[in-house]
Amino acid sequence: MKKMIIKNGRILTPFRDIGIGSVIIENGIIIGVETGDVSIADAEVVDAGGNFIAPGFIDLHTHGAGDHDFMDATLEAYTGAAEMHARHGTTYLLPTTLTSTNEGLFDTFDLFREAQKKNTKGAELGGLHLEGPYFAFNQKGAQDPRYLRNPDPKEYMQILERGGDIIKRWSLAPELPGALDFATVLQQRGIMLSMAHTDATFEEAMVAYEYGFRHITHFYSCIAGITRRNAFRYAGVVEAGYYHDGIVLEVISDGIHVPQSLLKLLYKIKGPQRIMLVTDSMRAAGMGDGDSILGSLKDGQKVLVEDGVAKLPDRTAFAGSVATADRCVRSFRDLAGVPLAEAVAMMTDTPARVLGIDHRKGSIQKGKDADIVIFDNNIEVKHTIIKGNVIF
């Protein structure tokens, strides 16, 4: 019976700082949260050194890190990226695909299953997030246009047959022909639906909500706002996201994809319970500036990393972020001026809730998995603990 006690740290619940206390862990599960100092015989002791003790970060949209991309379809890519993210406080993530050939997608499925079994030093691989290929061409962003298409039952049923047990989330454009029928299939299978890379109008987004689209992927990136059609103005997905209280907005809070002014607006209108922070990181996360590849090494696109972000070579669009979860929390806190506990909640409690895993993840609470990150005032990670095991 493995016991651990994390002591001498300021404990953050989802929305408040309860002060200096101790977290008691047994067999990977939190069995107690106490104020003050607690001693337990035969327990491994982790001294937080007066730093913050927070729930482990949950990243539901990442393509890789540490010079690895999940579309590389190698065991090293999965474990290497998971290890890099763990060093920055992420304890649970959804590896995210890009538009690709179905063969490339199926290779990714096979490697994911293997990586789940062999990943012992990185963030937990909770399931896959499929980003595409059902996107509006006009909002393709850095997605490879060769593979964009409309939902086809023959195709997506084959994908679901090969990967249905590990697909946890699917991002697509709801206005495409066949998208709502596809959404019905995904809802029946319990797969989280997100609007993404979309030209949908406000009205189309409202219909999509009725079909199960409760989230918007990387808000402000590759989604339509107000447009003119034959001189008349039409509201878009941006306005729908702000308007509907039931829609949770995913935000790349690296301070670049969404500038300070919009981070403040997002927080003011939606609040921390309806904002979910993600990295949307590609392989260059945790690395330096220079040339890199978005997607697989075999079939990916060349990108340029500079100014703290990945760009297409012609600098016409961002190509995914190079952020890590600690940077996302730090940037939102500092730029939007929000309390630390709420910035942390947007990277822990909110994603756990929207993915339906909040019964075991997302907060420091008795009975939940002992997924914990210890960091200082600058959100510099000191320890990452996953299910009671010190990973970093």
Side-chain angles (χ1 to χ4, degrees):
M1 184 177 295
K2 182 180 179 181
K3 295 181 180 179
M4 174 184 287
I5 182 166
I6 307 171
K7 60 196 306 182
N8 189 28
R10 293 173 58 183
I11 301 173
L12 298 178
T13 68
F15 293 96
R16 67 189 182 99
D17 178 348
I18 67 173
I20 296 292
S22 303
V23 180
I24 307 164
I25 299 163
E26 188 173 286
N27 294 332
I29 302 296
I30 298 170
I31 63 169
V33 181
E34 307 287 346
T35 57
D37 192 7
V38 176
S39 296
I40 297 177
D42 302 322
E44 178 184 355
V45 176
V46 176
D47 188 343
N51 293 307
F52 292 99
I53 303 172
F57 301 142
I58 297 173
D59 190 359
L60 302 189
H61 187 168
T62 168
H63 298 276
D67 204 26
H68 301 287
D69 190 288
F70 298 117
M71 294 300 288
D72 290 344
T74 66
L75 182 61
E76 181 186 10
Y78 272 96
T79 57
E83 287 178 27
M84 176 63 79
H85 279 299
R87 293 188 197 110
H88 293 273
T90 299
T91 57
Y92 184 99
L93 58 80
L94 295 187
T96 303
T97 64
L98 288 166
T99 54
S100 68
T101 64
N102 282 351
E103 291 74 17
L105 196 60
F106 296 155
D107 287 344
T108 297
F109 292 169
D110 294 339
L111 263 296
F112 175 84
R113 292 186 178 95
E114 183 180 358
Q116 267 192 321
K117 299 174 183 177
K118 297 183 178 179
N119 173 41
T120 59
K121 298 180 180 179
E124 180 180 351
L125 305 173
L128 288 175
H129 169 200
L130 304 193
E131 190 178 7
Y134 310 129
F135 288 150
F137 188 86
N138 189 48
Q139 297 287 353
K140 65 182 185 300
Q143 298 285 339
D144 194 325
R146 293 177 295 170
Y147 305 119
L148 299 182
R149 49 198 182 270
N150 295 332
D152 181 340
K154 293 181 180 178
E155 178 183 63
Y156 61 66
M157 291 307 297
Q158 183 183 19
I159 294 172
L160 288 169
E161 287 170 8
R162 290 287 295 268
D165 59 320
I166 54 176
I167 299 170
K168 302 300 182 185
R169 178 182 179 187
W170 205 317
S171 291
L172 66 148
E175 77 277 13
L176 297 179
L180 297 182
D181 289 338
F182 179 39
T184 299
V185 173
L186 294 181
Q187 270 212 299
Q188 291 170 344
R189 292 172 177 256
I191 296 173
M192 174 182 167
L193 282 154
S194 291
M195 298 181 230
H197 293 266
T198 171
D199 264 330
T201 63
F202 179 96
E203 291 75 16
E204 289 169 330
M206 291 298 99
V207 172
Y209 181 86
E210 295 176 0
Y211 277 80
F213 288 85
R214 299 289 190 267
H215 316 281
I216 300 176
T217 300
H218 45 50
F219 196 65
Y220 280 117
S221 296
C222 303
I223 58 174
I226 297 172
T227 56
R228 281 188 182 273
R229 303 183 184 186
N230 298 322
F232 292 93
R233 288 190 179 90
Y234 291 83
V237 173
V238 170
E239 291 72 35
Y242 277 126
Y243 173 79
H244 203 302
D245 288 342
I247 296 177
V248 174
L249 307 182
E250 174 190 296
V251 179
I252 307 168
S253 58
D254 60 357
I256 298 173
H257 279 78
V258 182
Q260 182 178 26
S261 57
L262 293 181
L263 289 177
K264 289 182 175 181
L265 181 64
L266 276 160
Y267 177 77
K268 182 176 183 178
I269 295 176
K270 298 296 288 189
Q273 293 182 304
R274 294 190 292 271
I275 297 173
M276 178 175 75
L277 306 187
V278 297
T279 64
D280 193 10
S281 61
M282 42 83 72
R283 72 171 64 247
M287 311 297 288
D289 288 356
D291 294 333
S292 189
I293 299 290
L294 178 66
S296 71
L297 290 173
K298 179 176 67 175
D299 197 34
Q301 299 185 78
K302 292 183 178 181
V303 298
L304 173 66
V305 178
E306 64 179 11
D307 304 321
V309 70
K311 305 174 185 177
L312 294 180
D314 62 4
R315 297 179 171 87
T316 58
F318 294 148
S321 87
V322 295
T324 48
D326 50 352
R327 175 180 168 188
C328 289
V329 172
R330 183 187 312 114
S331 295
F332 207 105
R333 179 197 65 177
D334 294 347
L335 294 178
V338 307
L340 174 61
E342 293 189 359
V344 169
M346 289 184 274
M347 195 101 215
T348 56
D349 176 74
T350 303
R353 180 165 34 83
V354 301
L355 195 62
I357 59 172
D358 53 321
H359 60 290
R360 59 189 181 91
K361 306 281 187 183
S363 62
I364 295 179
Q365 186 177 344
K366 185 177 180 180
K368 292 193 176 183
D369 290 348
D371 294 350
I372 293 169
V373 59
I374 300 172
F375 54 76
D376 64 15
N377 286 318
N378 196 40
I379 327 293
E380 298 289 344
V381 174
K382 306 301 181 182
H383 289 85
T384 302
I385 298 167
I386 301 176
K387 294 183 179 178
N389 295 307
V390 178
I391 302 298
F392 171 75

